[in-house]
Coordinates of all heavy atoms in Angstrom, one line a residue:
L301 N -21.1 -9.0 -17.8 CA -22.5 -8.8 -17.9 C -23.1 -8.9 -16.6 O -22.9 -9.9 -15.9 CB -23.1 -9.8 -18.9 CG -22.6 -9.8 -20.3 CD1 -23.3 -10.9 -21.2 CD2 -22.9 -8.4 -21.0
N302 N -24.0 -8.0 -16.2 CA -24.6 -7.9 -14.9 C -25.9 -8.7 -14.9 O -26.9 -8.2 -15.5 CB -24.8 -6.5 -14.4 CG -25.4 -6.4 -13.0 OD1 -26.5 -6.9 -12.8 ND2 -24.6 -5.9 -12.1
F303 N -25.9 -9.8 -14.1 CA -27.2 -10.5 -13.8 C -27.2 -10.7 -12.3 O -27.8 -11.7 -11.9 CB -27.2 -11.8 -14.6 CG -27.2 -11.7 -16.1 CD1 -26.0 -12.0 -16.8 CD2 -28.3 -11.3 -16.8 CE1 -26.0 -11.8 -18.2 CE2 -28.3 -11.1 -18.2 CZ -27.1 -11.4 -18.9
G304 N -26.7 -9.8 -11.6 CA -26.7 -10.0 -10.1 C -27.3 -8.8 -9.3 O -27.4 -9.0 -8.1
C305 N -27.6 -7.7 -10.0 CA -28.1 -6.6 -9.2 C -29.5 -6.9 -8.6 O -30.4 -7.3 -9.4 CB -28.1 -5.4 -10.1 SG -28.6 -3.9 -9.2
P306 N -29.7 -6.6 -7.3 CA -31.0 -6.9 -6.7 C -31.9 -5.7 -6.4 O -32.9 -5.8 -5.9 CB -30.6 -7.5 -5.4 CG -29.4 -6.8 -5.0 CD -28.7 -6.4 -6.3
V307 N -31.4 -4.5 -6.8 CA -32.1 -3.3 -6.4 C -33.4 -3.2 -7.2 O -33.5 -3.5 -8.4 CB -31.3 -2.0 -6.6 CG1 -30.0 -2.1 -5.8 CG2 -31.0 -1.7 -8.0
P308 N -34.5 -2.6 -6.6 CA -35.8 -2.6 -7.2 C -35.8 -1.9 -8.6 O -36.6 -2.3 -9.5 CB -36.6 -1.8 -6.2 CG -36.0 -2.1 -4.9 CD -34.5 -2.2 -5.2
K309 N -35.1 -0.8 -8.8 CA -35.2 0.0 -10.0 C -34.7 -0.9 -11.2 O -35.0 -0.6 -12.4 CB -34.4 1.3 -10.0 CG -32.9 1.2 -9.9 CD -32.2 2.6 -10.0 CE -30.7 2.5 -10.0 NZ -30.1 3.8 -10.1
V310 N -33.9 -1.9 -10.9 CA -33.4 -2.9 -11.9 C -34.3 -4.1 -12.1 O -34.8 -4.4 -13.2 CB -32.0 -3.3 -11.6 CG1 -31.6 -4.4 -12.5 CG2 -31.0 -2.1 -11.8
T311 N -34.7 -4.7 -10.9 CA -35.5 -5.9 -11.0 C -36.9 -5.6 -11.5 O -37.6 -6.5 -12.1 CB -35.6 -6.6 -9.6 OG1 -36.2 -5.7 -8.7 CG2 -34.2 -7.0 -9.2
R312 N -37.5 -4.4 -11.2 CA -38.9 -4.2 -11.6 C -38.9 -4.1 -13.2 O -40.0 -4.2 -13.7 CB -39.4 -2.9 -11.0 CG -38.7 -1.6 -11.5 CD -39.6 -0.4 -11.2 NE -40.1 -0.3 -9.8 CZ -39.5 0.3 -8.8 NH1 -38.4 1.0 -9.0 NH2 -40.0 0.3 -7.6
R313 N -37.8 -4.0 -13.8 CA -37.8 -4.0 -15.3 C -37.4 -5.4 -15.8 O -37.2 -5.5 -17.0 CB -36.7 -3.0 -15.8 CG -36.9 -1.6 -15.3 CD -37.9 -0.8 -16.1 NE -37.9 0.6 -15.8 CZ -38.4 1.5 -16.6 NH1 -38.9 1.2 -17.7 NH2 -38.4 2.8 -16.2
G314 N -37.3 -6.3 -14.9 CA -36.9 -7.7 -15.3 C -35.4 -7.8 -15.5 O -35.0 -8.8 -16.2
G315 N -34.6 -6.9 -15.0 CA -33.2 -7.0 -15.1 C -32.4 -7.5 -13.9 O -33.0 -8.0 -12.9
G316 N -31.1 -7.5 -14.0 CA -30.3 -7.9 -12.9 C -30.5 -9.4 -12.5 O -30.5 -10.3 -13.3
A317 N -30.6 -9.6 -11.2 CA -30.7 -10.9 -10.6 C -31.9 -11.7 -11.0 O -31.9 -12.9 -10.9 CB -30.6 -10.8 -9.1
V318 N -33.0 -11.0 -11.5 CA -34.2 -11.8 -11.9 C -34.3 -12.1 -13.3 O -35.1 -12.9 -13.8 CB -35.5 -11.0 -11.5 CG1 -35.4 -10.6 -10.0 CG2 -35.7 -9.7 -12.3
L319 N -33.4 -11.6 -14.1 CA -33.4 -11.8 -15.6 C -33.2 -13.3 -16.0 O -33.9 -13.8 -16.9 CB -32.5 -10.9 -16.3 CG -32.6 -10.9 -17.9 CD1 -32.3 -9.5 -18.4 CD2 -31.8 -11.9 -18.6
P320 N -32.3 -14.0 -15.4 CA -32.1 -15.4 -15.8 C -33.3 -16.3 -15.7 O -33.3 -17.4 -16.3 CB -30.9 -15.9 -14.9 CG -30.2 -14.7 -14.6 CD -31.2 -13.6 -14.5
W321 N -34.3 -15.9 -15.0 CA -35.6 -16.6 -14.9 C -36.2 -16.8 -16.3 O -36.7 -17.8 -16.6 CB -36.6 -15.9 -14.0 CG -37.9 -16.6 -13.9 CD1 -39.1 -16.3 -14.5 CD2 -38.2 -17.9 -13.2 NE1 -40.1 -17.2 -14.2 CE2 -39.5 -18.2 -13.4 CE3 -37.4 -18.8 -12.5 CZ2 -40.1 -19.3 -12.9 CZ3 -38.0 -19.9 -12.0 CH2 -39.3 -20.2 -12.2
K322 N -36.0 -15.8 -17.2 CA -36.4 -15.9 -18.6 C -35.3 -16.5 -19.4 O -34.4 -15.8 -19.9 CB -36.8 -14.5 -19.1 CG -38.0 -13.9 -18.4 CD -39.3 -14.7 -18.4 CE -40.5 -14.0 -17.8 NZ -41.7 -14.8 -17.8
R323 N -35.2 -17.8 -19.4 CA -34.0 -18.5 -20.0 C -33.7 -18.1 -21.4 O -32.6 -18.0 -21.8 CB -34.2 -20.0 -19.9 CG -35.5 -20.5 -20.5 CD -35.6 -22.0 -20.4 NE -35.8 -22.4 -19.0 CZ -36.8 -23.3 -18.7 NH1 -37.5 -23.9 -19.6 NH2 -36.9 -23.7 -17.5
D324 N -34.8 -17.8 -22.2 CA -34.5 -17.5 -23.6 C -33.9 -16.1 -23.7 O -33.0 -15.8 -24.5 CB -35.8 -17.6 -24.5 CG -37.0 -16.8 -23.9 OD1 -36.9 -16.5 -22.7 OD2 -37.9 -16.6 -24.7
L325 N -34.4 -15.2 -22.8 CA -33.9 -13.8 -22.8 C -32.4 -13.8 -22.4 O -31.6 -13.1 -22.9 CB -34.7 -12.9 -22.0 CG -34.3 -11.5 -21.8 CD1 -34.2 -10.8 -23.1 CD2 -35.2 -10.7 -20.8
F326 N -32.1 -14.5 -21.3 CA -30.8 -14.6 -20.8 C -29.8 -15.2 -21.8 O -28.8 -14.6 -22.1 CB -30.7 -15.5 -19.5 CG -29.4 -15.8 -19.0 CD1 -28.7 -14.9 -18.2 CD2 -28.7 -17.0 -19.3 CE1 -27.5 -15.1 -17.7 CE2 -27.4 -17.2 -18.8 CZ -26.8 -16.3 -18.0
S327 N -30.2 -16.2 -22.5 CA -29.4 -16.8 -23.5 C -29.2 -15.8 -24.7 O -28.0 -15.7 -25.2 CB -30.1 -18.1 -24.1 OG -29.3 -18.7 -25.1
A328 N -30.2 -15.1 -25.1 CA -30.1 -14.2 -26.2 C -29.1 -13.1 -25.9 O -28.3 -12.6 -26.7 CB -31.5 -13.6 -26.6
I329 N -29.2 -12.5 -24.6 CA -28.3 -11.4 -24.2 C -26.9 -11.9 -24.2 O -26.0 -11.2 -24.7 CB -28.8 -10.9 -22.9 CG1 -30.1 -10.1 -23.0 CG2 -27.7 -10.0 -22.3 CD1 -30.6 -9.6 -21.7
V330 N -26.6 -13.1 -23.6 CA -25.3 -13.5 -23.5 C -24.7 -13.8 -24.9 O -23.5 -13.5 -25.2 CB -25.2 -14.8 -22.6 CG1 -23.8 -15.4 -22.6 CG2 -25.6 -14.5 -21.2
H331 N -25.5 -14.5 -25.7 CA -25.0 -14.8 -27.1 C -24.7 -13.5 -27.9 O -23.7 -13.4 -28.6 CB -26.0 -15.6 -27.9 CG -25.9 -17.1 -27.7 ND1 -26.6 -17.7 -26.7 CD2 -25.1 -18.0 -28.3 CE1 -26.3 -19.0 -26.7 NE2 -25.4 -19.2 -27.7
A332 N -25.6 -12.5 -27.7 CA -25.4 -11.2 -28.4 C -24.1 -10.5 -28.0 O -23.3 -10.0 -28.8 CB -26.6 -10.3 -28.1
A333 N -23.8 -10.6 -26.7 CA -22.6 -9.9 -26.2 C -21.3 -10.7 -26.7 O -20.3 -10.1 -27.1 CB -22.6 -9.9 -24.7

Side-chain angles (χ1 to χ4, degrees):
L301 300 178
N302 181 298
F303 298 105
C305 185
V307 303
K309 71 175 181 179
V310 169
T311 62
R312 70 163 47 97
R313 304 277 188 162
V318 307
L319 190 146
W321 179 253
K322 300 298 186 183
R323 55 178 70 133
D324 54 344
L325 177 59
F326 175 80
S327 177
I329 289 174
V330 175
H331 275 92

